Amino acid sequence: MLHLPRFGPPESWRERAALVRREGVGPVADTAAGRWFTPGFTGADPYVAMLRATDPAGYAACCDALAAFDATDRLARITAPTLVVAGAEDAPTPPAGHGDVLADRIPGAQLVVVDGAGHLANVERPGPVTDAIVSHLDRTWKGAPA
């Protein structure tokens, strides 16, 4: 069975949870900017600081939850209008193999790939992400005035 609509291999999340339980969130925070953003992005500091301030037990529990998460068998049952937004340079969940799988398996979903953005595309490129969301809502909101 294909297991792409998940957040990476379960083993890596379990290893990260164990690391955080052993050493705190520091080692994860030290590498977060490189996972979340493109190399030229200069606004990572507040997001990395937020991670550093995260409770290690809570973070580890979230890692355990992500290890167990797999929505593969449920995607076809989604009936809400769906927009999948992906950063073109997202290394943890690249558009090819992640975003496109979601968009292909959710009926009627649209995929928007944001150029010049990594994993946190909404932080790195808020304008294009907001434009995509507003366009999606304008297109799909049933109660919109004519």
Side-chain angles (χ1 to χ4, degrees):
M1 175 181 282
L2 188 62
H3 291 285
L4 291 174
R6 57 181 316 130
F7 296 96
E11 302 77 28
S12 64
W13 287 111
R14 289 186 194 106
E15 290 168 7
R16 187 179 298 189
L19 172 67
V20 169
R21 286 185 176 105
R22 227 179 20 256
E23 300 180 33
V25 294
V28 176
D30 290 343
T31 60
R35 287 189 314 276
W36 291 347
F37 303 109
T38 61
F41 184 66
T42 59
D45 289 349
Y47 302 95
V48 173
M50 176 187 63
L51 178 55
R52 285 190 192 288
T54 300
D55 174 67
Y59 186 91
C62 286
C63 290
D64 291 336
L66 291 171
F69 180 82
D70 185 351
T72 305
D73 296 335
R74 296 180 292 202
L75 296 178
R77 293 183 287 187
I78 296 173
T79 60
T82 302
L83 174 66
V84 178
V85 178
E89 298 177 51
D90 183 348
T93 54
H98 288 272
D100 58 355
V101 171
L102 291 173
D104 287 346
R105 293 186 178 195
I106 298 170
Q110 177 190 9
L111 171 63
V112 171
V113 177
V114 180
D115 289 330
H119 191 63
L120 299 183
N122 60 314
V123 171
E124 198 162 5
R125 299 290 316 278
V129 172
T130 299
D131 291 347
I133 292 169
V134 169
S135 176
H136 173 74
L137 293 173
D138 283 346
R139 201 174 44 257
T140 60
W141 184 34
K142 304 281 189 236

